């Protein structure tokens, strides 16, 4: 799990000094304060190669396909908004020490090449001086270099780092039914499928059982809701489907971290107290012990989360992080559980 983070020259953050985390972390702040950028920074720190950034780029709506002319400007345009105020020459640094006792850092920068390709036809301005972007991870004191280069009109990744046990769930990406089926299968093989089934049934009593069935050649989760036939879980409710995705991410990622952007999305507001408590309980299972880092815009969700703080253990493990922006500078305010709970009780605005 992530003990703390420090971010330099990444997206909207010129520099965020070290910020300590707890097991259950709720991130709030105005639009444009950097909630999603913070989640993305943590996600990048856990990656293995620059391919992880291309996924984030697609999730932000840029599309997975890239059309490049082999020029310095075209290549760097893919990465320019990774850096604060577009200061590409400074590079970006993200540091996330974890509970295993080792630092996990990533530095993103352009690396000067000692030789360049010179095409014989179609030479344009800056056509052959493209410096590759390099993601350099430091994991437990060892450096891993991974570069993304253009070769023969293709983006080629060289080198990888060991990945960290971290899952990112974004509202921009709906978890594939097949992936949820695979995750549930891994639980079921260990006779632990009941952890998910019991949690879902408690929240949504119409769900009697969860099984894996084949649909058009693909393994899909089905539920028994008391009808004549089982139904694909994705057809029942967006809220049920989202809860299942988060719950499976927790249960199949013991000792790791689950990031959820806009956690309230898809849930009926009156269900939020039960949903949050159920996720906290799953993350607290003895041999799971998973960390949650979530963002929200919802006052209803914050009210729901505050209700769980009557449990002293959950309260000691919970932290509210408020991202603030003033004069172009971003900062993080840590609000401990007692102050968070008191603010909600008093009807104060904490978002």
């Amino acid at each position: 799990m992530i003990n703390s983070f420090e971010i330099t020259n990444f997206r909207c953050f010129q520099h965020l000094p070290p910020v300590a985390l707890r097991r259950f972390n709720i991130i709030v702040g105005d639009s444009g304060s950097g909630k999603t950028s913070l989640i993305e920074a943590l996600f990048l720190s856990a990656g293995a190669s620059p391919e992880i950034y291309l996924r984030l780029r697609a999730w932000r709506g840029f599309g997975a396909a890239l059309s490049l002319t082999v020029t310095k400007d075209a290549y760097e345009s893919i990465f320019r908004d990774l850096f604060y105020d577009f200061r590409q020459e400074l590079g970006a640094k993200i540091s996330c020490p974890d509970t295993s006792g080792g630092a996990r850092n990533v530095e993103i920068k352009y690396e000067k090449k000692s030789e360049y390709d010179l095409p014989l036809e179609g030479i344009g301005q800056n056509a052959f001086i493209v410096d590759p972007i390099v993601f350099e991870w430091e994991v437990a004191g060892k450096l891993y270099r991974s570069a993304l280069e253009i070769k023969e009109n293709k983006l080629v990744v060289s080198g990888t780092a060991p990945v960290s046990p971290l899952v990112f769930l974004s509202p921009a990406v709906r978890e594939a039914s097949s992936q949820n089926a695979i995750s549930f299968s891994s639980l079921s093989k260990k006779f632990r499928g009941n952890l998910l089934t019991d949690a879902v049934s408690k929240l949504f009593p119409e769900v009697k059982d969860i099984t894996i069935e084949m649909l058009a050649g693909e393994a899909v989760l089905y539920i028994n809701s008391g009808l004549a036939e089982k139904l694909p879980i994705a057809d029942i409710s967006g809220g049920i489907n989202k809860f299942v995705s988060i719950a499976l991410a927790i249960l199949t990622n013991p000792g790791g971290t689950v990031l959820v952007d806009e956690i309230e999305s898809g849930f009926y507001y009156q269900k939020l107290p039960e949903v949050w408590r159920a996720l906290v309980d799953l993350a607290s299972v003895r041999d799971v012990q998973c960390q949650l880092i979530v963002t929200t815009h919802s006052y209803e969700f914050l009210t729901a989360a505050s209700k769980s703080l009557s449990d002293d253990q959950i309260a000691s493990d919970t932290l509210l992080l408020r991202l603030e922006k003033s004069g172009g500078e971003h900062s993080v305010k840590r609000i401990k559980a007692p102050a968070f709970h008191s603010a909600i009780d008093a009807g104060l605005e904490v978002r």
Side-chain angles (χ1 to χ4, degrees), residues 79-306:
F79 310 102
R80 190 169 286 119
D81 61 349
L82 255 178
F83 305 98
Y84 175 78
D85 199 21
F86 310 108
R87 298 175 185 173
Q88 301 180 98
E89 71 281 0
L90 299 180
K93 296 180 181 179
I94 303 162
S95 176
C96 297
D98 60 39
T99 52
S100 68
R104 186 176 182 96
N105 309 317
V106 60
E107 183 175 0
I108 308 167
K109 58 188 177 181
Y110 292 99
E111 185 175 84
K112 294 291 184 182
K113 295 177 65 176
S114 59
E115 61 181 43
Y116 299 93
D117 296 326
L118 177 60
L120 297 178
E121 296 180 0
I123 299 176
Q125 184 180 12
N126 297 328
F128 52 90
I129 54 172
V130 178
D131 295 319
I133 197 161
V134 172
F135 285 56
E136 188 173 81
W137 278 274
E138 179 187 3
V139 183
K142 186 174 181 180
L143 291 178
Y144 300 86
R145 177 187 175 280
S146 184
L148 186 66
E149 300 183 73
I150 299 177
K151 293 182 178 179
E152 299 178 356
N153 293 320
K154 297 179 182 178
L155 287 174
V156 178
V157 175
S158 60
T160 59
V163 298
S164 181
L166 183 146
V167 178
F168 180 23
L169 299 175
S170 166
V173 182
R174 187 167 183 176
E175 196 71 16
S177 297
S178 58
Q179 181 56 54
N180 279 343
I182 292 169
S183 297
F184 182 70
S185 176
S186 70
L187 283 179
S188 182
K189 289 175 183 177
K190 299 173 184 176
F191 304 103
R192 294 172 61 82
N194 64 296
L195 290 174
L196 176 69
T197 304
D198 292 348
V200 174
S201 298
K202 186 176 179 180
L203 276 175
F204 307 98
E206 63 271 28
V207 178
K208 312 301 180 186
D209 193 21
I210 300 175
T211 58
I212 301 174
E213 311 293 343
M214 299 303 295
L215 177 65
E218 180 182 42
V220 174
L221 290 183
Y222 273 68
I223 69 166
N224 173 7
S225 61
L227 298 178
E229 292 187 12
K230 297 179 181 179
L231 291 170
I233 202 166
D235 288 346
I236 300 299
S237 159
I240 295 177
N241 203 46
K242 180 171 182 176
F243 179 82
V244 166
S245 293
I246 301 173
L248 283 171
I250 291 170
L251 293 171
T252 58
N253 194 34
T257 298
V258 174
L259 310 173
V260 186
D261 199 12
E262 298 181 19
I263 189 170
E264 75 281 0
S265 175
F267 294 117
Y268 184 54
Y269 76 97
Q270 289 186 338
K271 279 283 188 185
L272 287 172
E274 299 170 76
V275 166
W276 177 245
R277 182 56 192 257
L279 294 175
V280 165
D281 287 345
L282 287 174
S284 301
V285 171
R286 180 179 299 176
D287 55 354
V288 175
Q289 298 297 306
C290 187
Q291 181 181 40
L292 294 176
I293 303 175
V294 307
T295 74
T296 186
H297 288 284
S298 168
Y299 195 82
E300 288 87 356
F301 174 77
L302 293 174
T303 301
S306 73

Side-chain angles (χ1 to χ4, degrees), residues 335-348:
I335 303 172
K336 295 181 181 178
F340 169 33
H341 188 56
S342 297
I344 294 296
D345 279 351
L348 300 179

Side-chain angles (χ1 to χ4, degrees), residues 47-66:
S49 78
E51 180 274 334
I52 196 171
Y53 168 67
L54 298 181
R55 271 188 279 161
L56 285 179
R57 190 175 183 276
W59 295 345
R60 279 193 173 243
F62 287 100
L66 294 172

